[in-house]
Amino acid sequence: MLMVVMTVGILSCSTVAKTSDGLGVVTDERPQLSPEQARLYDHFFLEAMVQRQKGQNDAAFDLLSHCLDINPHAAEVYYFMAQYYNALKQTEKSLDYFQTAACLNPQNETYLETLAQVYIRQQNYQDAIAVVEKLYGRHKDREDLLEMLFQLYQEVEDYQNAVAVLDRIETIDGKSERLSLAKSEVYTRMGNEKAAVAEMAALAKQYPNDLNYLAMYGESLMMNGETKQALDVYDRILTEEPNNNRVLMSLRTYYQAQENQEMADSLTRRVLLGRNTSLEEKTYLIRQIVGTNEQAGGDSTEVLRLFHQMMAVDTTDVDIPMLCATYMDLKKMPSDSIKPVLNRILKLAPDNSAARLHLVGYAWAEDDKDRVIELCQTAREYNPDDMAFYYYQGIAYYQRDSLDQALSTFQNGVSVINERSNADIVSDFYEVMGEILHKKGRVEEAFAAYDSCLQWKPDNIPCLNNYAYYLSLRNENLSKAETMSMKTLKAEPKNATYLDTFAWILFMQERYAEAKIYIDQALQNVETVALNGDSISNAAIYEHAGDIYWYCKDPDKALTFWQDALKGDADNKVLIRKVKLKKYFKE
């Protein structure tokens, strides 16, 4: 039997009569669904929810649309479809559907809260207020709704109602610093200075033993132009509590505004050197002082004097010395003047890795490898998971030719690698380990280290070059060597070392004409060659050039290159033999 489903169109807020609460009531009659229609509706709606749960949103949307054909007064359908329209960026239609859901079922608080949030997002604060007020009328215990109303009334500059909301919250929670401050600020915005001051006065009167509230009353007086009364309040507080930082800071601001710099500076020192001054207060002040000092020309004398006075008062704090060291570093002061501050920090906090790394940097710049090793060894006891110290110590050993100690250091560093480790540092660990292992003749282990290096950082250019070169020396995996070497040339096309490596790989593949092109480019850039570690030296480049030119049928030029190479590598027996016999020999 064919069922004919009657539809009455999509209901929206245009079909409801507005009331004072902004929600409206449905004015049209709602036809009752037949049992068959109700069954069909339930079937399609439940299936829509199943598809929604599965993430099949297109199917869910189609099913919900069909539900609406069956029952155009189904609030829940409008609510879910509104969410889909919102996702489709159809803002007006989404709002229309949220409004309709709330109109059709005004008892559903989820619909009302969602509608309020939609109004807020669209900056329609007046309608949001109407909805939230309705919600609060049902739940007088929901303080979060009052907090929302307070913000909304401020948005529409309805300060009278904003204060009324704070009164409602105060009825629930009692008078508090937070509420009194908020109320005073609102009164100030209204231009009602007397009420603003009175509010803070009432708070101070209610808690007469709390000088903090009295200080807030003084601040309110100061903010609203009653300076003499404010200073009287501050005097009362300082009589009882001479080191009340809140008052001292307020007075400092006042004297700065009066351009009485002498009094302001005196108060600054008083706060900075006060034993009950918090780190946050000290940091705030010292940063302000540094900024002012820089604007005035950057004379660091007074700033450093303050730092040293602060450190003399508190001999256990490490944060101020760290700020001092950072400031001195920014001012590019000599390292000898910064080191004592850093050493002070380490004496107080041996596990302070930032200070120790700073000292390692100075020792490195001074080429004091013993000091680098000593600092890093101690750091490994206090910061065993900080890979930077293994790295610097390992490199220091390596550059001192202490290969066994360098290898041990790097292996210990590798043992603390985890998923959060710095990929650049880990890659460098493996690269240098590969170099050490290769020097020690442990070639297979060296190649394994290089593979690990490239897993962490596939574009580690020095590793790619050295790995490729060592493969070519063994006449192994030349295709792999060529691929790696080509990457180095793309990164640094004028690097003589990398050009020489690529030329030599081509030579080992008996591609002599191509090799000649790249060795010529290497010779043109030979002055840029680094002569440290296992980098290809100038002598090696000239020898390779001779070998390549020999196979390119130019023995005279080959001999000239071998002779040039011999000047830089006089003990090379194979090279001596090439020059003596004027012909190519394999090593």
Side-chain angles (χ1 to χ4, degrees), residues 340-540:
V341 180
L342 296 171
N343 285 321
R344 172 196 176 103
I345 294 167
L346 290 182
K347 187 176 180 180
L348 294 169
D351 61 341
N352 190 301
S353 59
R356 198 175 297 275
L357 270 176
H358 213 138
L359 286 168
V360 168
Y362 287 137
W364 193 269
E366 294 162 4
D367 199 28
D368 188 348
K369 299 296 187 295
D370 290 339
R371 180 63 174 153
V372 170
I373 291 168
E374 175 195 347
L375 284 165
C376 290
Q377 186 61 43
T378 306
R380 287 171 55 183
E381 297 172 15
Y382 292 101
N383 310 98
D385 297 329
D386 195 328
M387 298 187 70
F389 295 112
Y390 296 92
Y391 177 76
Y392 284 112
Q393 187 181 35
I395 294 293
Y397 276 131
Y398 178 62
Q399 293 187 355
R400 210 174 64 173
D401 286 331
S402 302
L403 298 187
D404 290 336
Q405 291 165 300
L407 184 59
S408 174
T409 301
F410 282 119
Q411 287 171 333
N412 287 330
V414 165
S415 70
V416 300
I417 291 174
N418 57 51
E419 65 277 3
R420 297 184 302 277
S421 297
N422 185 300
D424 289 336
I425 293 179
V426 176
S427 177
D428 288 345
F429 267 41
Y430 281 117
E431 183 214 338
V432 183
M433 283 176 62
E435 290 298 292
I436 296 169
L437 290 164
H438 194 271
K439 277 191 172 185
K440 294 173 72 66
R442 295 157 62 177
V443 179
E444 297 305 323
E445 291 176 76
F447 288 171
Y450 287 144
D451 285 330
S452 295
C453 167
L454 296 174
Q455 280 185 341
W456 281 88
K457 188 179 179 185
D459 61 345
N460 188 312
I461 301 304
C463 177
L464 288 167
N465 176 75
N466 293 342
Y467 196 0
Y469 184 63
Y470 294 147
L471 284 172
S472 71
L473 292 181
R474 289 166 63 90
N475 200 16
E476 292 179 2
N477 291 326
L478 293 179
S479 177
K480 177 180 179 180
E482 182 181 350
T483 300
M484 290 192 294
S485 184
M486 179 56 74
K487 289 180 181 179
T488 70
L489 291 185
K490 287 181 179 178
E492 298 182 37
K494 292 186 178 182
N495 186 301
T497 297
Y498 301 163
L499 288 163
D500 173 80
T501 296
F502 193 70
W504 191 247
I505 293 168
L506 296 173
F507 175 83
M508 295 301 293
Q509 294 174 310
E510 299 182 3
R511 294 156 62 183
Y512 304 122
E514 293 175 75
K516 181 176 178 296
I517 294 171
Y518 286 95
I519 201 66
D520 285 343
Q521 292 181 48
L523 290 167
Q524 291 172 9
N525 294 280
V526 77
E527 296 302 323
T528 66
V529 174
L531 298 175
N532 54 29
D534 266 349
S535 297
I536 305 301
S537 67
N538 289 3

Side-chain angles (χ1 to χ4, degrees), residues 44-61:
F44 286 120
F45 183 78
L46 288 173
E47 183 59 26
M49 294 301 99
V50 170
Q51 295 301 320
R52 177 185 171 87
Q53 191 70 24
K54 290 180 178 179
Q56 302 295 327
N57 294 315
D58 289 344
F61 185 86

Side-chain angles (χ1 to χ4, degrees), residues 247-274:
V247 171
L248 294 175
M249 292 283 279
S250 294
L251 284 170
R252 176 179 178 271
T253 302
Y254 166 72
Y255 284 116
Q256 283 179 326
Q258 297 295 311
E259 298 184 356
N260 188 338
Q261 199 58 43
E262 184 178 351
M263 278 297 297
D265 289 345
S266 173
L267 288 162
T268 298
R269 282 189 292 273
R270 193 168 164 183
V271 174
L272 285 176
L273 303 181

